[in-house]
Amino acid sequence: MTTTVTEDTFLEMVQPLRRELVAHCYRMVGSVQEAEDLVQETYLRAWRSFHGFENRSSVRTWMYRIATNTCLTALEGRSRRPLPTGLGAPPGDPTAELRTRPEVSWLEPLPDAVVWGAAPADPGDVALARDTVRLAFVAALQHLTAQQRAALLLKDVLCWQASEIAEALGLSVASVNSSLQRARAHLAKLDEDATPRLADDDPRLRHLLDAYVEAFEAYDVQRIVQLLTADAEWEMPPFEEWYRGAEDIGRLIRTQCPAQAAGDMRLLLTRANGAPAVGMYMRGPDGVHRAFQLQHLTVTPDGVSAVTVWFDTDLFRRFGLPDHLGPEGEVAALAPGEAPHCGL
């Protein structure tokens, strides 16, 4: 490109891509904070090399190429980000002492608001985008090598040709096809027995979520158990154990949860990875409900089939949730300019 381009003009061209690039980098690295940092690095790299952009591809393709290679560089020598179910251990004993794995960098949730700031025009595009950031899919990606991850995302999510991927990654077409074959074989088991999730516009979803919130706030463990599927799974990094079965999950809550009575817990609805989530607040000795855990829910027609819980309360601000709740549950202590994302 021979025409001089100002920084403002450059940003006008690439800024509309920021949300989708964050989603792409999140799929690669499994952390929203890292993904946002990598997108910023992508923009810096793109600006420095913009004089070499010759319109042989679209700006979007060019930016994805830079973002992918930025992620690959960041992932060199790094361990994957698993969830407890991905460590290979059998389900745990809900009455046993909880054990943490501080050396593990766990997979993190993606706030919907980071990716979907405005309603997209095509509902079909919305469904596809949400499917490609669903928690189970991103967790499965973490079991692939970085190169396999990149090839799969560029091919199956962005619909690039194998020759385009080979050029972007500095590989042969044969190497790309080999990586795709291995990646697809590994992911083939992901949806074998999966029950379809309830759609966002299905009235059963809101009814079940309301019942779930009410059951926790009432500390009605039996009701919580009834809202889970019989083979539901529960995991909660940084604790390494995970649990299977509604009854075992009920025992876990009765044994390990610090709540003792109705009103000890309050929940705010939010969204993560294209699915419902809740921020839970636990009442302290002073009567104040403070941020305690964030739950991601997989909701099927038969009930809640999976719950992933994070105890990192820094996530609350990232989700636009308050640090604590004021009297009678009103929100308080939001970060400047933030508001709770409680819609579905």
Side-chain angles (χ1 to χ4, degrees):
M1 176 175 287
T2 57
T3 304
T4 300
V5 176
T6 66
E7 184 174 355
D8 288 343
T9 302
F10 168 75
L11 289 174
E12 286 178 7
M13 297 172 65
V14 301
Q15 196 65 15
L17 302 172
R18 178 173 289 275
R19 291 182 184 275
E20 59 182 282
L21 289 173
V22 169
H24 179 65
C25 291
Y26 169 75
R27 296 183 195 104
M28 286 289 295
V29 302
S31 163
V32 183
Q33 179 63 60
E34 286 188 39
E36 291 178 336
D37 291 343
L38 288 167
V39 169
Q40 190 62 31
E41 176 64 22
T42 295
Y43 276 36
L44 291 172
R45 291 188 184 191
W47 170 242
R48 291 178 189 138
S49 61
F50 198 69
H51 64 278
F53 177 61
E54 299 176 348
N55 287 319
R56 288 181 297 177
S57 64
S58 67
V59 171
R60 182 173 183 267
T61 297
W62 183 67
M63 291 294 290
Y64 267 101
R65 176 174 178 167
I66 297 173
T68 301
N69 281 286
T70 300
C71 289
L72 289 173
T73 299
L75 288 168
E76 289 178 0
R78 292 256 303 274
S79 300
R80 62 188 176 91
R81 283 183 173 268
L83 287 173
T85 49
L87 296 179
D93 177 357
T95 63
E97 182 180 356
L98 299 176
R99 297 171 298 178
T100 62
R101 291 281 294 272
E103 76 279 10
V104 175
S105 295
W106 300 100
L107 179 64
E108 298 175 357
L110 173 71
D112 276 21
V114 170
V115 181
W116 299 289
D122 187 343
D125 290 343
V126 179
L128 176 62
R130 287 182 177 170
D131 194 52
T132 62
V133 296
R134 74 189 190 279
L135 192 63
F137 177 67
V138 179
L141 288 176
Q142 303 303 304
H143 292 270
L144 306 178
T145 67
Q147 180 177 296
Q148 290 170 348
R149 218 176 294 173
L152 184 84
L153 292 174
L154 293 176
K155 179 64 175 176
D156 290 357
V157 176
L158 298 176
C159 301
W160 285 23
Q161 298 297 317
S163 57
E164 294 177 292
I165 299 171
E167 182 181 358
L169 303 183
L171 302 171
S172 67
V173 172
S175 293
V176 168
N177 287 330
S178 177
S179 290
L180 286 170
Q181 184 178 17
R182 291 191 180 94
R184 287 167 175 164
H186 184 82
L187 296 182
K189 301 176 183 179
L190 178 62
D191 292 321
E192 279 184 354
D193 302 314
T195 303
R197 295 174 297 170
L198 288 178
D200 289 344
D201 59 356
D202 191 319
R204 292 176 295 175
L205 176 62
R206 187 63 198 227
H207 175 75
L208 197 150
L209 289 175
D210 287 344
Y212 187 88
V213 169
E214 290 169 4
F216 267 96
E217 293 189 340
Y219 194 50
D220 186 344
V221 180
Q222 187 55 43
R223 179 57 176 152
I224 295 171
V225 169
Q226 293 171 353
L227 293 170
L228 301 171
T229 61
D231 59 350
E233 294 184 355
W234 183 287
E235 52 191 331
M236 45 187 193
F239 300 106
E240 62 179 304
E241 290 85 7
W242 63 282
Y243 308 90
R244 175 181 287 150
E247 293 299 331
D248 266 9
I249 293 170
R251 280 190 284 273
L252 175 75
I253 295 171
R254 291 188 184 97
T255 304
Q256 309 290 358
C257 181
Q260 298 180 353
D264 282 350
M265 295 178 283
R266 299 192 66 89
L267 279 67
L268 290 181
L269 288 167
T270 183
R271 292 190 60 89
N273 295 78
V278 293
M280 177 186 289
Y281 298 79
M282 189 68 64
R283 180 161 56 189
D286 59 359
V288 176
H289 287 83
R290 293 181 175 84
F292 180 64
Q293 62 179 221
L294 185 82
Q295 299 184 7
H296 170 279
L297 312 178
T298 300
V299 186
T300 73
D302 297 325
V304 178
S305 64
V307 181
T308 303
V309 181
W310 290 270
F311 287 89
D312 180 2
T313 55
D314 289 342
L315 291 171
F316 277 65
R317 295 240 171 183
R318 188 161 290 279
F319 276 80
L321 293 170
D323 297 324
H324 64 277
L325 300 181
E328 299 183 359
E330 67 227 26
V331 299
L334 283 166
E338 292 183 330
H341 305 298
C342 301
L344 293 173

